[in-house]
Amino acid sequence: MTQPSLVPDSQHRGLVSLLPPRLRDYAMLARFDRPIGWWLLFWPCVWGVMLAGGEKRWDLVLWMLAGSIAMRGAGCVYNDIVDADLDRRVARTALRPVASGRVSKGAAWAWLLILCGIGLVVLLQLRWEAQLVALGSVVLVAGYPFMKRITWWPQAWLGMVFTWGALVGWVEIRSDHLEAIGALYLGAIFWCIGYDTIYALQDREDDALVGIRSSALRLGSQVRAGVGGFYALALAFWALAFWAMRPDWVGLVALVPMALHLGFQVVTLDPEDGENPLARFRSNRDAGLVMALACWVVGNAGIV
């Protein structure tokens, strides 16, 4: 069977292309060629840890990084198993390993279990309260691939899934001030809706043809304003979270770099240029770091 070239948004082209074809298929199935996904899963974990005052818990941060890589991969494998028929009908996804038939669904399930096993090792490093919170995401993860079939806003469901780590990181450090972590989580959800709407711009034509729903299609010509609105809501909730931890205006200054970063994305977004949305989407890896530093500043100087 013909081996594919790496997809257009692959980043680790050199590393993945060096693998034997069979192993390359499994690496691509877990999206190891596209690390942006696990960065976006990882950063909210760090936000929860840092805002909770866990700046000394670098062991926890490293475990959560390992868990983010493994569980993002597991989620991608599960998504590709469920979406194989749809993926075959979309140009950007037609060559994915399961959709193309290079990896059978049985083999994909086995790979999924291996990745979940790594996630289990990470889970066991947490205290039991954080373990329960982490397990609470399972239902959300299982339901996500079906959302694009029943709602125009699958990005909202993804937001709940992809930012769940903020709750886990917080509860591992502390169990009080739930108003702060609640606001941080809500802001993270709107951030995710914004950046995944940008990502969905790449597939608007194919999605419309095969009946896949997305916020990018729903917003139509107002997509830039929509993304701006989501980012504004994210910043508003993050401001509430920071205020709950440090109730003075000085703490809110820490959000200014993040506001500038997200504002740049909105102002420079060109929905008609395929490369432009991909670049803006990827820049959220850097935005995640900027927000992590803001959480560290406020969490390190906030209430105890």
Side-chain angles (χ1 to χ4, degrees):
M1 186 171 293
T2 302
Q3 295 295 327
S5 59
L6 298 180
V7 294
D9 53 348
S10 294
Q11 289 176 277
H12 284 173
R13 294 173 180 268
L15 292 175
V16 174
S17 64
L18 291 176
L19 295 172
R22 187 63 172 168
L23 292 180
R24 188 188 312 154
D25 282 335
Y26 286 96
M28 293 178 68
L29 185 55
R31 309 291 196 277
F32 290 158
D33 60 317
R34 288 185 277 170
I36 181 62
W38 55 258
W39 279 117
L40 295 175
L41 189 64
F42 169 65
W43 283 126
C45 302
V46 179
W47 302 350
V49 172
M50 293 301 163
L51 190 61
E55 66 277 356
K56 295 181 180 179
R57 290 293 309 275
W58 290 104
D59 60 323
L60 174 61
V61 170
L62 292 175
W63 277 116
M64 298 189 93
L65 175 59
S68 296
I69 295 172
M71 296 315 296
R72 185 269 186 144
C76 290
V77 175
Y78 173 66
N79 189 80
D80 282 10
I81 292 171
V82 174
D83 278 353
D85 292 338
L86 285 177
D87 284 346
R88 293 187 189 102
R89 300 160 64 189
V90 176
R92 189 176 59 83
T93 59
L95 290 179
R96 285 179 174 173
V98 176
S100 65
R102 297 191 315 277
V103 174
S104 69
K105 286 190 176 181
W109 278 113
W111 180 216
L112 172 63
L113 291 176
I114 292 172
L115 292 168
C116 287
I118 298 172
L120 177 61
V121 172
V122 175
L123 183 70
L124 294 176
Q125 310 309 309
L126 307 177
R127 65 186 185 123
W128 70 267
E129 295 92 339
Q131 290 177 0
L132 291 178
V133 173
L135 291 172
S137 67
V138 172
V139 173
L140 292 175
V141 172
Y144 170 67
F146 304 99
M147 292 301 110
K148 63 176 69 75
R149 297 167 170 83
I150 62 177
T151 176
W152 287 102
W153 300 98
Q155 282 70 26
W157 194 276
L158 181 70
M160 292 187 288
V161 172
F162 239 62
T163 62
W164 192 267
L167 304 177
V168 179
W170 180 278
V171 173
E172 176 64 18
I173 302 298
R174 63 197 302 169
S175 300
D176 58 347
H177 296 297
L178 299 183
E179 73 284 356
I181 183 54
L184 181 72
Y185 178 56
L186 287 172
I189 290 173
F190 283 111
W191 173 63
C192 182
I193 296 173
Y195 72 62
D196 202 54
T197 297
I198 293 174
Y199 186 74
L201 288 170
Q202 300 175 93
D203 296 329
R204 282 185 300 177
E205 291 78 10
D206 285 339
D207 286 351
L209 286 173
V210 302
I212 296 176
R213 302 178 182 184
S214 75
S215 55
L217 285 173
R218 186 64 171 175
L219 289 168
S221 62
Q222 302 301 314
V223 68
R224 184 185 288 110
V227 171
F230 296 136
Y231 282 168
L233 286 169
L235 290 165
F237 279 111
W238 289 336
L240 288 174
F242 283 15
W243 189 268
M245 293 299 291
R246 181 174 176 169
D248 63 61
W249 293 104
V250 176
L252 299 184
V253 174
L255 273 177
V256 171
M258 187 63 166
L260 293 174
H261 194 296
L262 297 182
F264 171 80
Q265 288 186 42
V266 174
V267 171
T268 62
L269 179 63
D270 182 358
E272 305 307 321
D273 178 357
E275 291 298 321
N276 177 283
L278 181 59
R280 300 302 173 274
F281 165 74
R282 282 180 178 168
S283 74
N284 282 284
R285 177 194 60 186
D286 302 327
L289 174 59
V290 171
M291 184 63 182
L293 293 173
C295 289
W296 173 75
V297 169
V298 175
N300 193 43
I303 57 179
V304 296

